[in-house]
């Protein structure tokens, strides 16, 4: 019995590292070609320059001064502490009158009855800030008051210098700065622990966004600038800062910026059309009425549209960045996939995103307007009557216009990203090398297939010796 050696075959080797950067990890996106970078820069650099010029031209230099009215938020306030609390019958302080004929069938009658026969609290309050620090005053707390004071509690008091001495100070709110600051600290800690460097950059971007809002958007509107123009410039500045700071100065981020910009323009156009068509004035509550009274030159309907644009920006950033990242990852997983294949694969991810984001947006607005909806429910108003009222119509227009922009951002951003990565032929990422799928992992690129083996193979398979009888 003799044995023969099979035809020699080259020893198996590990596939060499892919020189084209077709990695399967989820690290930073590979750069696109120099040509594509120039095309993207040709679009975004003029836009960024226009935003900077707009900021410079419309920069307000601070909110305009005005004489305080003493109404609503337009009051002087100081910090104070409840130093003493004394209970006494409400009848002793003449806090209220009994209802006519003892009628307690109405809410007003029940309130008057409880004030007449209930126990009131006499609070001694000490001012702890301002020129009159250390001054004390007293205030009667009714038994049915929604805010009940307690000894040692920190409060906010309003100061009216033109009122009589005994009425110059009054409690307006509770001082809740410490719990709010603690909650903000917990939020920042959670973001940093989970997000690490990205989390830190997100917090920095958030702080810069608030600076743009506080020092540009709000004062510029108060100075009389067009609210829509101010909102577009301010939102664009926030978008550029947040996206590039959090996600880096890359082509992938630039595509997300373009998708966000197109969607914002669509939201602005639709909002302008339907706010005018529905005759929404933007002056629907005490706060907007106070703003209009103090600054009659402000276009309140334009202010409403500015709120729609700024309110939609945060969710838009999330959608466009997610869709762009999905296209980039799909391209790195299979560099041979054309732009149509990339679009079809990424849009399936986008549909899931649309369903969750739109639902989130609608519920957020519904939650904010829940007390108003309860009032309509108590009044047993029909759905048509509720929707037709300006208070609710504003929220409906705000929600639907923002949602249309969000829905449109998915195909727009996905198409832009697919076109960019599939058109890229100048860098490793863009060169479409022919790859073979690994068995058992469809769609996954692998090393080039080895040279074909000789046609004569053993029936028993395996790479061992073949016996010859």
């Amino acid at each position: 019995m003799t044995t023969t050696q099979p035809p020699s075959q080259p020893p198996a080797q590990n596939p060499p590292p892919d020189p084209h950067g077709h990695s399967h990890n989820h690290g930073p996106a590979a750069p696109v070609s120099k040509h594509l970078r120039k095309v993207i820069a040709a679009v975004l650099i003029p836009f960024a320059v226009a935003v900077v010029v707009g900021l410079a031209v419309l920069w307000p230099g601070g909110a305009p001064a005005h004489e305080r009215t003493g109404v609503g938020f337009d009051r002087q306030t100081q910090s104070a502490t409840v130093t003493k609390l004394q209970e006494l019958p409400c009848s002793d302080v003449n806090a209220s009158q009994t209802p006519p004929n003892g009628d307690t069938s109405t809410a007003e009658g029940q309130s008057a009855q409880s004030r007449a026969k209930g126990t009131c609290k006499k609070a001694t309050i000490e001012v702890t800030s301002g020129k009159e620090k250390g001054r004390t005053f007293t205030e009667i707390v009714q038994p049915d008051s929604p805010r009940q004071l307690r000894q040692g509690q920190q409060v906010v008091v309003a100061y009216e210098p033109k009122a009589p001495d005994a009425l110059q100070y009054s409690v307006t709110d509770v001082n809740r700065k410490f719990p709010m600051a603690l909650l903000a600290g917990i939020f920042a800690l959670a973001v940093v622990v989970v997000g690490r460097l990205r989390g830190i950059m997100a917090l920095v971007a958030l702080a810069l966004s608030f600076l743009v809002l506080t020092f540009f958007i709000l004062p510029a509107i108060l100075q009389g600038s067009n609210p829509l123009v101010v909102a577009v410039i301010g939102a664009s500045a926030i978008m550029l800062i947040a996206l590039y700071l959090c996600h880096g100065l890359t082509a992938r981020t630039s595509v997300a910026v373009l998708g966000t910009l197109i969607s914002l323009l669509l939201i602005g156009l639709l909002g302008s059309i339907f706010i005018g068509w529905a005759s929404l004035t933007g002056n629907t509550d005490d706060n907007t009425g106070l703003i209009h009274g103090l600054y009659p030159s402000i276009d309140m309907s334009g202010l409403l549209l500015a709120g729609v644009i700024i309110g939609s920006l945060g969710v838009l950033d999330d959608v466009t960045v997610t869709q762009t990242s999905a296209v980039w990852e799909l391209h790195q997983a299979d560099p041979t996939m054309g732009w149509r294949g990339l679009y079809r694969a990424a849009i399936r991810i986008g549909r899931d995103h649309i369903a969750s984001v739109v639902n989130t947006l609608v519920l957020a607005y519904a939650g904010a307007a829940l007390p108003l909806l309860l009032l309509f429910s108590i009044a047993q108003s029909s759905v048509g009557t509720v929707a037709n009222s300006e208070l609710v119509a504003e929220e409906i227009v705000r929600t639907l216009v923002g949602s249309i922009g969000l829905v449109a951002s998915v195909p727009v951003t996905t198409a832009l990203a697919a076109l960019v990565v599939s058109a890229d032929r100048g860098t490793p990422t863009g060169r479409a090398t022919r790859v073979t799928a690994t068995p058992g992992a469809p769609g996954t690129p692998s090393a080039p297939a080895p040279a074909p083996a000789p046609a004569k193979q053993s029936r028993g398979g395996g790479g061992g010796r073949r016996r010859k009888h």
Side-chain angles (χ1 to χ4, degrees), residues 127-167:
V127 180
T128 57
S129 66
K131 296 180 179 179
E132 296 189 318
K133 181 179 179 180
R135 177 176 170 177
T136 61
F137 66 97
T138 59
E139 184 166 305
I140 302 299
V141 182
Q142 306 297 337
D144 59 346
S145 174
R147 183 182 299 113
Q148 295 294 319
L149 302 179
R150 64 179 186 275
Q151 189 168 342
Q153 188 174 24
Q154 305 292 317
V155 294
V156 178
V157 295
Y159 174 60
E160 178 50 63
K162 297 180 181 179
D165 287 348
L167 302 175

Side-chain angles (χ1 to χ4, degrees), residues 348-387:
R348 288 194 291 269
I349 301 172
R351 291 189 187 107
D352 291 336
H353 207 181
I354 286 173
S356 60
V357 167
V358 169
N359 193 46
T360 300
L361 192 64
V362 171
L363 290 180
Y365 283 128
L370 199 58
L372 177 64
L373 297 177
L374 281 175
L375 287 177
F376 282 109
S377 179
I378 292 171
Q380 297 182 351
S381 302
S382 65
V383 175
T385 303
V386 172

Side-chain angles (χ1 to χ4, degrees), residues 34-370:
K34 188 175 182 180
H35 172 70
L36 272 180
R37 289 201 299 269
K38 287 182 178 179
V39 172
I40 294 172
V43 176
L44 287 181
I45 288 179
F47 168 67
V49 170
V51 170
V52 173
V53 171
L55 289 171
V57 171
L58 297 178
W59 193 264
H66 71 279
E67 186 177 353
R68 290 188 178 273
T69 61
V71 178
F73 290 102
D74 194 35
R75 292 179 288 186
Q76 297 184 42
T77 58
Q78 302 293 344
S79 299
T81 304
V82 180
T83 57
K84 185 179 178 182
L85 213 57
Q86 178 184 0
E87 293 186 352
L88 69 167
C90 290
S91 56
D92 291 354
V93 293
N94 196 23
S96 62
Q97 298 178 352
T98 55
N101 303 322
D103 182 16
T104 58
S105 60
T106 63
E108 292 81 1
Q110 293 174 6
S111 176
Q113 186 74 16
S114 66
R115 292 187 177 195
K117 297 183 178 181
T119 301
C120 291
K121 295 178 181 178
K122 183 179 180 180
T124 303
I125 301 164
E126 180 182 352
V127 180
T128 57
S129 66
K131 296 180 179 179
E132 296 189 318
K133 181 179 179 180
R135 177 176 170 177
T136 61
F137 66 97
T138 59
E139 184 166 305
I140 302 299
V141 182
Q142 306 297 337
D144 59 346
S145 174
R147 183 182 299 113
Q148 295 294 319
L149 302 179
R150 64 179 186 275
Q151 189 168 342
Q153 188 174 24
Q154 305 292 317
V155 294
V156 178
V157 295
Y159 174 60
E160 178 50 63
K162 297 180 181 179
D165 287 348
L167 302 175
Q168 285 183 337
Y169 286 95
S170 61
V171 177
T172 60
D173 209 341
V174 172
N175 190 333
R176 51 182 68 89
K177 292 180 181 178
F178 177 73
M180 297 294 286
L182 179 62
L183 181 60
I186 295 173
F187 162 74
L189 181 63
V191 170
V192 172
V193 169
V194 177
R196 299 186 180 180
L197 181 59
R198 286 289 179 91
I200 294 173
M201 301 308 292
L203 292 177
V204 173
L206 180 62
L208 293 176
S209 299
F210 271 104
L211 289 178
V212 173
L213 183 65
T214 305
F215 291 100
F216 173 71
I217 295 178
L218 300 180
I221 292 175
L222 292 178
Q223 291 280 13
S225 300
N226 187 302
L228 177 58
V229 175
V230 171
V232 169
I233 294 174
S236 300
I238 290 173
M239 173 184 65
L240 292 172
I241 291 170
L243 288 179
Y244 283 118
L245 198 59
C246 293
H247 304 286
L249 194 64
T250 63
R252 182 164 67 180
T253 307
S254 299
V255 172
V257 168
L258 287 173
T260 305
L261 176 61
I262 294 172
S263 303
L264 279 179
L265 292 176
L266 176 62
I267 289 173
L269 178 62
L270 288 176
S272 179
I273 292 172
F274 283 95
I275 287 175
W277 196 356
S279 300
L280 299 177
T281 63
N283 190 0
T284 54
D285 56 22
D286 293 340
N287 294 327
T288 54
L290 178 60
I291 293 171
H292 185 64
L294 292 173
Y295 300 96
S297 61
I298 294 180
D299 179 11
M300 299 304 293
S301 60
L303 186 63
L304 172 62
L305 180 56
V308 173
I309 293 174
I310 295 173
S312 303
L313 178 61
V315 189
L316 269 178
D317 289 351
D318 173 45
V319 173
T320 54
V321 168
T322 300
Q323 287 305 113
T324 308
S325 298
V327 172
W328 245 261
E329 293 297 332
L330 287 167
H331 176 67
Q332 285 195 272
D334 186 0
T336 62
M337 191 183 298
W339 81 267
R340 285 189 176 85
L342 285 171
Y343 179 83
R344 285 194 296 267
I347 203 68
R348 288 194 291 269
I349 301 172
R351 291 189 187 107
D352 291 336
H353 207 181
I354 286 173
S356 60
V357 167
V358 169
N359 193 46
T360 300
L361 192 64
V362 171
L363 290 180
Y365 283 128
L370 199 58

